[in-house]
Amino acid sequence: MRTCYTGLVSSEHLGQIVTLFGWVHRRRDHGGVIFIDLRDREGLAQVVVDPDRAETFKIAEGLRNEFCISIKGLVRARPAGTTNAGLKSGEIEILAHEIEVLNASVTPPFQLDDDNLSETTRLTHRVLDLRRPQMQNNMKLRYRVSIEVRKYLDSLGFIDIETPMLTKSTPEGARDYLVPSRVNAGEFFALPQSPQLFKQLLMVSGFDRYYQIVKCFRDEDLRADRQPEFTQIDCETSFLTEQQIRDIFEAMIRHVFKTVQNVDLEEPFPVMPWSEAMHRFGSDKPDLRVKLEFTDVTDVVKDVDFKVFASAANAEGGRVVALRVPGGAAMPRSEIDAYTQFTAIYGAKGLAYIKVNEIAKGVEGLQSPIVKNIHAAALTEILTRSGAQDGDILFFGADKAKVVNDAIGALRIKIGHSEFGKKQGLSETGWKPLWVVDFPMFEYDEEAQRYTAAHHPFTSPKDGHEDFLTTNPGQALAKAYDMVLNGWEIGGGSVRIHREEVQSKVFRALKIEAEEAQEKFGFLLDALQYGAPPHGGIAFGLDRIVTMMTGAESIRDVIAFPKTQRAQCLLTQAPSPVDEKQLRELHIRLRNVETKPAA
């Protein structure tokens, strides 16, 4: 039986005979003495094998990386000058008395301490990748976060209740993953995008404090912070106001950061209306570590000769903003061109700029191809509003508001966190939490010529905004709130609609007619008629929280067996074809299926 984990052997065990299990991380032969770095999930320990134990020494000579072994030996102090302060076991070593090979290993496809592995290699050989200390630490930290969440919620009377994985397909924004039913031919289940409807039903059922750490599924385009299956900390409560709900879960996040990483997040979190966030930062999840802000100049440039500005300023839904970058006038043209290409990713057709060399000289002190097409009064107002100083540069976005917000918002982050930005003090380190509140109830889909739900169709309007649902849906604000940390939305929720007549108004605003609403959501509408309590909740992205805590570049580094950006598992080669018999049982016939090229 194991005495303790290999990585936890320390000077406390001096003089003891210990039995350890693990993997050979590295084997070194030093002039007749063999050193083995033995590794398990808690770290490394140095094992010494002397030739005076002939049988043990012979076994040690045959060891290779990733052999799974057990050793029995004496814990002794390392010789002076050979200690390793970076290891818990760094002051000791184990003199091996016995070694047993529990299982040999073929030559691994990579060294576990190689930091330059491609993600394809890592995901293809994920079992070995998970042996790497960094990945082991990531998984353990994820576990600790989950445990602390459970402890906190349990202390407040929340009950962990499971909800179905096979459910009804309902429109919630992203595509559903569909599951064909063998028993009910031609009909489909859907994997849940969230437990939203079921947790509302649990509130109607009288379980006033529910939570679940649950898998959710969305068939959407992927990126670094998205996966087709992801994990939510899903919570719902009854009889609490929006503020009370936020207070509970703000305290939960502070508790988790303090207990897991000994980080004190500021208290209370700042609160910012959605409209202010969009006005100042062009984003509903602003990274407050970056000190740069937008200056809206739409009204200033309506009558300038520069058509790019004037056209956007006079167009319905157009916006023109300036982004002042202190000290940016020193930027070379090549860097400005690189930023122009960067903003093009977000739909910007160009990136106008003005270098402010010497304000006192007026137009002569400004350097830009566009200055000659902007009259003096507009230039003066732009400089005044932005607070521009000598040596600054102003970047401009002019287009539809969404393009401007996306492009200049991304530029703000890129410059702020660049080497230049850090040197100029344009960003800071640490943690910057924020509540964003008062979201619009609806967004207008120009292509479909209809409103869509900004969050989901079960979000309650703010008090006094119910009439807007029928008269002017675009004016209605929601009792919705997002928790943002360093520019990442880590949690979002709302107070829900608990009265059937209000829910029906929302469906009508979304052009979901009564018959369609009954077909898709009849079970919810019916339940709301049985004395449904006021209720609301929030869901946190566990993957995102852990990613931020570990400093990983992608949530794939904190998920044991993730998918690629093409929603594939390279380890198991899923998704994969199924045989004709399975398809017949499911009453499915494939058409227009392209054969995948050979790998």
Side-chain angles (χ1 to χ4, degrees), residues 161-462:
I161 303 176
E162 294 179 354
T163 53
M165 283 292 112
L166 295 175
T167 184
K168 183 181 180 69
S169 179
T170 57
E172 291 187 45
R175 295 185 188 90
D176 285 328
Y177 275 101
L178 299 178
V179 180
S181 171
R182 179 185 61 82
V183 177
N184 301 285
E187 297 183 346
F188 294 80
F189 293 106
L191 300 180
Q193 295 186 32
S194 79
Q196 181 62 49
L197 296 177
F198 285 104
K199 67 182 179 183
Q200 289 191 248
L201 294 174
L202 287 170
M203 295 301 104
V204 182
S205 301
F207 296 96
D208 66 309
R209 293 196 169 193
Y210 141 95
Y211 87 96
Q212 193 180 182
I213 298 180
V214 61
K215 283 288 185 188
C216 301
F217 306 85
R218 293 179 188 171
D219 188 4
E220 59 185 351
D221 294 334
L222 307 181
R223 56 187 188 222
D225 63 344
R226 285 184 179 172
Q227 280 280 287
E229 52 179 323
F230 57 95
T231 304
Q232 276 188 187
I233 304 168
D234 198 56
C235 310
E236 197 79 3
T237 68
S238 296
F239 310 115
L240 295 180
T241 65
E242 176 184 344
Q243 184 64 56
Q244 290 168 330
I245 294 170
R246 292 210 323 256
D247 288 346
I248 285 176
F249 293 102
E250 178 179 318
M252 183 186 85
I253 293 300
R254 282 202 305 271
H255 166 79
V256 169
F257 270 78
K258 180 63 176 177
T259 53
V260 175
Q261 291 202 305
N262 197 29
V263 168
D264 290 303
L265 297 178
E266 66 181 283
E267 182 179 359
F269 291 179
V271 179
M272 185 180 295
W274 175 88
S275 57
E276 181 183 341
M278 299 304 293
H279 182 76
R280 293 173 59 189
F281 308 109
S283 171
D284 58 6
K285 46 182 183 295
D287 186 347
L288 297 186
R289 295 174 301 171
V290 177
K291 300 176 183 179
L292 305 177
E293 295 191 20
F294 287 12
T295 299
D296 197 297
V297 295
T298 308
D299 60 317
V300 178
V301 297
K302 287 180 178 289
D303 63 346
V304 300
D305 292 335
F306 187 47
K307 290 183 179 179
V308 173
F309 283 8
S311 297
N314 288 289
E316 184 178 354
R319 189 179 192 194
V320 183
V321 303
L323 183 73
R324 174 195 167 214
V325 181
M331 285 184 186
R333 183 58 189 266
S334 60
E335 191 169 350
I336 295 173
D337 290 343
Y339 286 140
T340 302
Q341 292 176 6
F342 173 75
T343 56
I345 297 171
Y346 299 88
K349 300 179 183 68
L351 183 64
Y353 69 90
I354 297 176
K355 287 186 175 183
V356 184
N357 295 326
E358 194 172 346
I359 291 179
K361 290 185 176 180
V363 175
E364 297 301 318
L366 305 178
Q367 179 184 346
S368 170
I370 69 171
V371 168
K372 60 186 178 183
N373 295 314
I374 302 176
H375 57 73
L379 285 172
T380 299
E381 182 64 17
I382 289 170
L383 295 174
T384 301
R385 282 194 191 182
S386 65
Q389 304 291 321
D390 291 351
D392 295 348
I393 190 171
L394 298 175
F395 287 111
F396 293 88
D399 209 310
K400 291 182 178 179
K402 184 179 187 320
V403 173
V404 170
N405 291 339
D406 290 350
I408 306 303
L411 180 65
R412 169 182 172 268
I413 300 299
K414 187 172 183 66
I415 293 175
H417 289 306
S418 68
E419 288 304 315
F420 168 83
K422 293 173 184 175
K423 187 181 296 183
Q424 289 291 115
L426 305 183
S427 64
E428 53 190 89
T429 58
W431 300 98
K432 287 289 185 179
L434 174 71
W435 282 109
V436 178
V437 300
D438 296 349
F439 283 81
M441 282 280 290
F442 307 103
E443 297 171 345
Y444 194 73
D445 186 331
E446 295 284 354
E447 187 175 331
Q449 294 290 293
R450 57 183 290 237
Y451 285 103
T452 59
H455 272 62
H456 54 63
F458 317 109
T459 300
S460 176
K462 290 187 74 68

Side-chain angles (χ1 to χ4, degrees), residues 1 9 135 235 269 281 430 465 479 533 556 563 576:
M1 183 175 178
V9 182
M135 292 301 299
C235 310
F269 291 179
F281 308 109
H465 286 229
K479 292 181 179 178
R556 291 186 287 276
K563 306 295 188 292
S576 60

